Amino acid sequence: MELLRPEATVLSLGDRVLSLDREGRPYHYFRQGLTYKRALDGSLHLRYREVERRRRRLSEEEALGVYREILALAEAHLEDRERREEVLRWIPEALLDPTPYRLAYTWPISILPPDAYLSVVLQATTGCTWNRCTFCSFYQDRPFQKRSPEAFAEHVEHVLALLGRGRLLRRGVFLADGNALALSEPLLPLLEIVGRHFPGEPVLGFLDLFTGLKKEASWWERLRALGLRRVYLGLETGHASLLALLHKPGHPKEALSLVRALKEAGLSVGAILMVGAGGKPYAEAHFRESLRLLAELPLGPEDVVYLSPFQEEPATPYARLGLEPLEDVEGEVRRWQRAVRRLGLRGARYDIREFLY
């Protein structure tokens, strides 16, 4: 059975379901318990379960084999002429080719919040203004740079060329990289460019606590008038000693005034906490103080508390601390989820291993 949507083509064939964008490129393929996801750089990623959830990036040879299978399915079962032509103009090698992605993104997209995976990502900046957190390896490969309006406008054109009609699948604009909302006046013309190319689309972005404290509510009102709708704050923990260990500037309590200013400006907030950070030595204080902070924040039904299972990266300064990790991080996430619900807040899982753009 084929389902022809304005933004996608879906083939449902018993135990196989294939989804393609309007450029004819596969983005999701389910086959007998295996889920394949194609990223915009052409890479193919497999998700499956063996008691626990597993994930890996396929080799080029494996990816080409799956792409051949997908194209054969489309040729055999897709009846609509226009949709067939969209798909069958591709060859496996073209689906795997990263060149169009690299023209659009000088540096790869490192991470997004879960509800932004299908946003259009535009890099107002590259890198992170701080980039010294002991646990983070997302931006170690690049310097922090901000784009001029001219360079940003050119970047937007490249991104639109990459997406083509695949843009129909996407909702909202995520302003990257790690801390793009830290920009002051230089941010305004970039948001105006976004508004011209994506009229009416909500703009989202990361913000660090230290930078956000320097802004008044009136500043956030200006950004809201230019399309900003949600701000993601990497709070990580409500425990001051652990936050210092993670080498994040500021004090957890300072989030109160920042969140208040964001809410007064009419923005929604995504508050991110890392469950398991600090391991066993900090587990109870991390849990207790983080929940205490959440209870004080002026969060509403439009806001989300993201609970991220902590992933220790071997090459980071955090790994050299030698903190004993929790034995059951997943069980700890469930404990936090129950506690967040008891506070009347909306919680969501944020597993960085699931990220794919």
Side-chain angles (χ1 to χ4, degrees):
M1 180 182 71
E2 62 184 36
L3 180 60
L4 309 180
R5 298 173 176 165
E7 74 281 6
T9 302
V10 179
L11 271 176
S12 182
L13 306 166
D15 60 357
R16 291 174 294 177
V17 180
L18 172 61
S19 302
L20 309 111
D21 69 16
R22 292 305 310 277
E23 283 292 306
R25 298 170 295 204
Y27 63 89
H28 186 277
Y29 176 40
F30 178 82
R31 182 191 64 188
Q32 298 176 334
L34 303 177
T35 299
Y36 298 90
K37 295 184 177 182
R38 180 184 181 273
L40 283 174
D41 66 0
S43 61
L44 196 61
H45 302 254
L46 174 61
R47 305 287 193 262
Y48 62 101
R49 281 196 178 276
E50 285 183 351
V51 183
E52 294 183 355
R53 186 168 172 81
R54 306 289 184 184
R55 50 188 75 74
R56 68 180 180 91
R57 176 173 174 164
L58 299 188
S59 68
E60 289 189 6
E61 182 178 351
E62 289 174 310
L64 286 171
V66 176
Y67 286 151
R68 291 188 189 100
E69 180 180 326
I70 286 171
L71 293 174
L73 281 176
E75 184 172 20
H77 298 282
L78 195 54
E79 297 178 359
D80 184 87
R81 180 178 176 181
E82 180 184 0
R83 303 297 177 104
R84 277 174 59 87
E85 289 176 354
E86 287 177 3
V87 178
L88 297 182
R89 65 192 180 91
W90 293 95
I91 60 172
E93 290 76 12
L95 290 173
L96 189 63
D97 184 11
T99 304
Y101 178 85
R102 291 172 181 166
L103 287 173
Y105 297 104
T106 306
W107 297 100
I109 307 304
S110 294
I111 193 67
L112 295 171
D115 61 336
Y117 287 176
L118 279 177
S119 296
V120 176
V121 179
L122 300 177
Q123 289 175 311
T125 64
T126 57
C128 174
T129 52
W130 178 246
N131 208 20
R132 282 173 276 179
C133 296
T134 59
F135 60 90
C136 181
S137 61
F138 291 138
Y139 307 107
Q140 300 302 316
D141 59 347
R142 70 198 74 172
F144 177 76
Q145 294 178 319
K146 59 185 178 183
R147 277 196 163 104
S148 68
E150 296 75 20
F152 183 69
E154 183 179 2
H155 167 62
V156 171
E157 293 295 342
H158 284 305
V159 171
L160 289 174
L162 168 67
L163 296 175
R165 286 182 294 172
R167 175 182 168 184
L168 294 170
L169 265 178
R170 301 187 173 270
R171 297 293 180 270
V173 174
F174 193 92
L175 212 59
D177 254 344
N179 197 16
L181 295 180
L183 297 181
S184 294
E185 294 295 327
L187 184 60
L188 301 179
L190 306 189
L191 285 173
E192 291 171 355
I193 292 170
V194 172
R196 288 198 294 272
H197 287 278
F198 302 88
E201 290 287 331
V203 179
L204 324 168
F206 285 125
L207 176 69
D208 74 289
L209 176 60
F210 182 72
T211 302
L213 285 171
K214 300 176 184 178
K215 313 290 188 184
E216 301 291 336
S218 59
W219 169 254
W220 301 114
E221 290 169 1
R222 290 178 70 184
L223 298 193
R224 191 183 191 287
L226 290 170
L228 184 64
R229 291 295 180 268
R230 172 165 286 180
V231 175
Y232 299 88
L233 295 174
L235 300 179
E236 321 308 358
T237 179
H239 186 42
S241 297
L242 177 56
L243 194 68
L245 184 78
L246 299 175
H247 204 222
K248 292 207 73 164
H251 188 282
K253 291 290 186 183
E254 292 174 323
L256 296 173
S257 59
L258 174 55
V259 172
R260 191 176 299 117
L262 294 172
K263 299 304 298 177
E264 288 174 2
L267 299 171
S268 67
V269 172
I272 304 166
L273 294 164
M274 294 194 304
V275 179
K280 287 186 177 180
Y282 288 88
E284 289 308 314
H286 179 24
F287 175 77
R288 181 182 63 252
E289 297 301 319
S290 296
L291 270 292
R292 183 174 295 169
L293 176 62
L294 287 177
E296 295 182 51
L297 293 177
L299 300 175
E302 70 280 6
D303 305 308
V304 183
V305 176
Y306 289 102
L307 302 174
S308 182
F310 183 67
Q311 304 297 319
E312 182 178 311
E313 292 291 333
T316 59
Y318 179 94
R320 296 195 290 271
L321 296 174
L323 297 170
E324 185 180 0
L326 298 183
E327 294 174 355
D328 183 12
V329 175
E330 293 304 319
E332 187 71 353
V333 170
R334 291 192 292 272
R335 179 167 81 120
W336 283 58
Q337 287 174 327
R338 291 192 295 269
V340 168
R341 285 197 296 268
R342 285 196 296 269
L343 291 174
L345 299 175
R346 185 156 60 107
R349 181 185 173 85
Y350 181 179
D351 192 332
I352 62 173
R353 295 169 297 178
E354 295 297 324
F355 166 68
L356 197 66
Y357 177 65

